[in-house]
């Protein structure tokens, strides 16, 4: 029962609600990796085995206990177009890995898109919960509760000593990867970001671009996540991330205040130039778009811009991705063409009356 | 320390290359590592954590050949057939039994990735085996020690009985 309306709009419903510290932390996410006992991991599973895992996992939707978390839809990856898959990646609802390499891969999505359960990715099950703003504890609580429901019906691969067994030993133990996406323009502008990121990596956390491993941090967006999954309890992992992120929020706030005291005119000029360019440009590559949107986002936070909202900027960030652009304009676009259409979409969004 | 390639970003990857006894140290950032990865001898494309795992496992260095099984014997998972050499290429296990068959080689790898080798987190209710009982015993033992320190011998005796009871359950299953 594939239902691809999930790719119609750029912003998931969960992203529309306001939340704590959302001017700096865009979203919080917790993912839990689990495997079904007695089946090889997806990489080695035969077609028949991975299908059996998919059947076993999707059976869960027949039970009442899962519906306390909402209504779910199952999307089988081989039944939806490549473009729709790309859009699901752009919305962070599935990983590029599931889109490109999985056999009998599927995703179970909640109606508001805040819960996304990948099947037959690197592991049999990857339960992912997304929250707006800085709500990493809430995200863990929910992911763990969903995990409990699956565990009541499915035997997991678990070992007394190693914990939850995963395909890659970097996930073994808790199988928990918690991450927050942060917007840190003031730390970048004041050149403190390098120091912050080095410190972060020294306390067992990793920093990545917003589309995961290997992607570049554009638009001053940084994804910070735990690196260690073994030898710490889930609560310790979450608390560690929480307290480090809390400190980074503090540093970013201080840097913003200092910028506003010391160089308000320069900041205002930068923010309003970006606003002007986004509203009027005819060509815009994705890197420039990300940077300009970051400036305007900062302008909104600093109350220099009142005509736009943070939610609109979140929406634009997804809308300007290649998949969405092509969906919007209904055909494959060359890179140069994309720059033109991207600029058009942004212009329209900025000229829209609120 | 700044990246020695771009001199802009902080160096986050530090490694040493030894060719014919000549040692060269590299301190580069992730972004330059990705760009230059092709040109650095002995380092294949990409610097993902997965790519570095086999290096951490150190399985070909000879270190384990003398200590463990004879070099000719291939370490293999009897469940899915994956060999340690395949693991080093794929950096993924084939099935959960690989953890059992490669167990001895795993500790140094886990230690370096996680700083730890033993799980202390959540335990599934059904598949968790005796781990719940064992953890309970550990807790009770701690309490017992506290009670003894406080010279509360009556409650200490109760705790001791509880521990014995649980240990019997563990032994029986």
């Amino acid at each position: 029962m594939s239902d691809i309306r999930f790719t119609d709009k750029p912003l998931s419903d969960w992203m529309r609600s306001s939340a704590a510290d959302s001017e700096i932390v865009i979203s919080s996410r917790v993912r839990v990796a689990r495997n079904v006992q007695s089946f090889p991991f997806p990489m080695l599973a035969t077609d028949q085995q991975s299908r059996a895992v998919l059947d076993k996992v999707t059976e869960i939707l027949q039970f009442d206990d899962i519906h306390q978390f909402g209504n779910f839809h199952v999307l089988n990856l081989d039944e939806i177009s490549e473009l729709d898959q790309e859009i699901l990646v752009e919305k962070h609802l599935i990983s590029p890995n599931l889109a490109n390499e999985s056999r009998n891969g599927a995703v179970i999505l909640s109606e508001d898109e805040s819960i996304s359960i990948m099947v037959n990715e690197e592991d049999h099950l990857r339960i992912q919960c997304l929250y707006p703003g800085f709500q990493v504890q809430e995200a863990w609580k929910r992911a763990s509760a969903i995990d409990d429901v699956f565990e009541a019906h499915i035997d997991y691969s678990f070992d007394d000593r190693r914990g939850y067994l995963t395909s890659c030993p970097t996930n073994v133990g808790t199988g928990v990867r918690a991450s927050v996406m942060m917007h840190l323009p003031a730390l970048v502008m004041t050149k403190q970001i390098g120091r912050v990121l080095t410190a972060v990596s020294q306390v067992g956390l990793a920093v990545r671009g917003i589309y995961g491993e290997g992607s570049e941090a554009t638009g001053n967006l940084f994804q910070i996540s735990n690196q260690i999954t073994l030898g710490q309890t889930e609560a310790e992992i979450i608390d560690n991330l929480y307290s480090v992120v809390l400190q980074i929020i503090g540093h970013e706030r201080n840097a913003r205040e200092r910028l506003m005291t010391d160089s308000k005119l320069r900041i205002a000029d930068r923010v309003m130039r970006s606003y002007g360019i986004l509203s009027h440009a005819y060509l815009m590559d994705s890197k420039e778009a990300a940077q300009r949107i970051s400036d305007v986002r900062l302008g909104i936070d600093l109350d220099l811009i009142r005509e736009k909202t943070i939610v609109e900027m979140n929406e634009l960030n997804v809308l300007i991705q290649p998949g969405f652009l092509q969906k919007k304009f209904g055909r494959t676009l060359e890179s140069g063409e994309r720059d033109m259409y991207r600029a058009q979409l942004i212009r329209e969004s900025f000229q829209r009356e609120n | 320390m700044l990246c020695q390639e771009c001199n802009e970003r902080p160096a986050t990857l530090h490694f040493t290359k030894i060719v014919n006894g000549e040692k060269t140290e590299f301190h580069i950032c992730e972004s330059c590592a990705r760009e230059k990865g092709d040109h650095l001898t002995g380092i294949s494309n990409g610097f993902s954590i997965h790519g570095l795992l086999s290096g951490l496992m150190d399985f070909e260095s000879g270190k384990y050949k003398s200590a463990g099984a004879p070099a000719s014997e291939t370490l293999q998972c009897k469940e899915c057939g994956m060999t340690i050499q395949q693991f080093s290429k794929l950096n993924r296990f084939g099935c959960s039994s690989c953890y059992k068959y490669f167990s001895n080689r795993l500790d140094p790898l886990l230690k370096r990735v996680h700083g730890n080798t033993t799980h202390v987190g959540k335990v599934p209710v059904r598949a968790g085996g005796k781990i719940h009982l064992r953890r309970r015993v550990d807790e009770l033992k701690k309490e017992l020690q506290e009670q003894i320190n406080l010279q509360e011998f009556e409650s200490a005796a109760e705790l001791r009985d509880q521990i014995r009871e649980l240990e019997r359950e563990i032994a029986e299953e």
Side-chain angles (χ1 to χ4, degrees), chain A residues 273-290:
Chain A
R273 271 170 193 275
S274 286
Y275 188 94
I277 288 168
L278 288 171
S279 328
H280 296 288
Y282 274 78
L283 286 175
M284 178 90 57
D285 66 35
S286 56
K287 206 170 171 180
E288 182 183 3

Side-chain angles (χ1 to χ4, degrees), chain A residues 122-339:
Chain A
E122 188 181 294
D123 294 298
H124 293 145
L125 255 179
R126 289 203 158 179
I127 301 164
Q128 178 176 276
C129 289
L130 298 129
Y131 272 76
F134 189 25
Q135 301 192 74
V136 68
Q137 276 127 335
E138 288 77 1
W140 158 245
K141 265 185 225 148
R142 185 185 277 187
S144 180
I146 296 168
D147 175 43
D148 290 342
V149 171
F150 275 96
E151 200 256 312
H153 300 283
I154 293 173
D155 283 328
Y156 283 151
S157 293
F158 182 86
D159 177 78
D160 281 5
R161 186 156 158 242
R162 308 292 192 199
Y164 294 93
L165 303 177
T166 51
S167 167
C168 182
T170 53
N171 296 313
V172 75
T174 60
V176 166
R177 193 79 65 205
S179 66
V180 292
M181 184 147 35
M182 304 192 80
H183 182 231
L184 305 173
L187 286 175
V188 173
M189 268 185 238
T190 55
K191 300 201 178 3
Q192 298 175 71
I193 193 75
R195 230 178 50 214
V196 171
L197 299 187
T198 309
V200 163
S201 64
Q202 278 162 358
V203 292
L205 300 177
V207 185
R208 300 197 173 100
I210 64 164
Y211 286 97
E213 200 175 320
S215 71
E216 220 178 305
T218 50
N220 303 318
L221 296 176
F222 298 87
Q223 183 189 293
I224 299 179
S225 60
N226 66 300
Q227 191 81 272
I228 292 164
T229 58
L230 186 66
Q232 291 184 348
T233 64
E234 292 81 359
E236 285 167 343
I237 290 170
I238 304 291
D239 287 351
N240 183 32
L241 179 72
Y242 185 88
S243 62
V244 171
V245 168
L246 203 60
Q247 289 181 51
I248 302 175
I249 292 173
H251 287 305
E252 171 69 18
R253 283 226 174 95
N254 287 341
R256 288 182 188 190
E257 270 170 36
R258 224 169 318 132
L259 282 174
M260 282 302 272
T261 326
D262 300 347
S263 35
K264 185 172 179 184
L265 198 62
R266 200 164 59 85
I267 295 301
D269 181 65
R270 174 175 171 154
V271 163
M272 296 318 282
R273 271 170 193 275
S274 286
Y275 188 94
I277 288 168
L278 288 171
S279 328
H280 296 288
Y282 274 78
L283 286 175
M284 178 90 57
D285 66 35
S286 56
K287 206 170 171 180
E288 182 183 3
Q291 184 54 52
R292 304 276 178 210
I293 290 169
S294 165
D295 287 344
V296 169
R297 195 185 167 91
L298 178 67
I300 296 167
D301 292 343
L302 297 176
D303 211 22
L304 298 166
I305 293 172
R306 291 179 178 170
E307 298 81 7
K308 292 275 130 196
T309 63
I310 291 294
V311 171
E312 283 175 289
M313 294 306 109
N314 289 343
E315 187 167 13
L316 264 188
N317 266 334
V318 183
L319 208 58
I320 60 167
Q321 303 296 326
F324 254 102
L325 280 178
Q326 302 188 65
K327 174 100 175 175
K328 177 93 181 160
F329 293 99
R331 65 187 175 87
T332 312
L333 301 171
E334 299 302 320
S335 157
E337 279 184 306
R338 286 208 294 267
D339 292 351

Side-chain angles (χ1 to χ4, degrees), chain B residues 103-123:
Chain B
S103 180
N104 293 340
R105 302 286 180 90
L106 214 48
D107 279 354
L109 167 86
L110 294 175
K111 192 110 196 130
R112 290 174 82 170
V113 173
H114 300 287
N116 275 292
T117 57
T118 310
H119 178 61
V120 293
K122 190 172 172 176
V123 174

Side-chain angles (χ1 to χ4, degrees), chain A residues 29-63:
Chain A
R29 171 165 48 153
V30 168
R31 160 297 250 160
V32 176
R34 298 289 186 253
N35 286 285
V36 184
Q37 206 180 35
S38 320
F39 283 90
F41 294 144
M43 185 183 66
L44 280 198
T46 62
D47 184 58
Q48 201 186 2
Q49 285 165 329
S50 58
R51 190 169 298 277
V53 167
L54 178 58
D55 289 344
K56 223 174 166 54
V57 169
T58 47
E59 247 174 43
I60 203 88
L61 296 176
Q62 295 171 6
F63 301 109

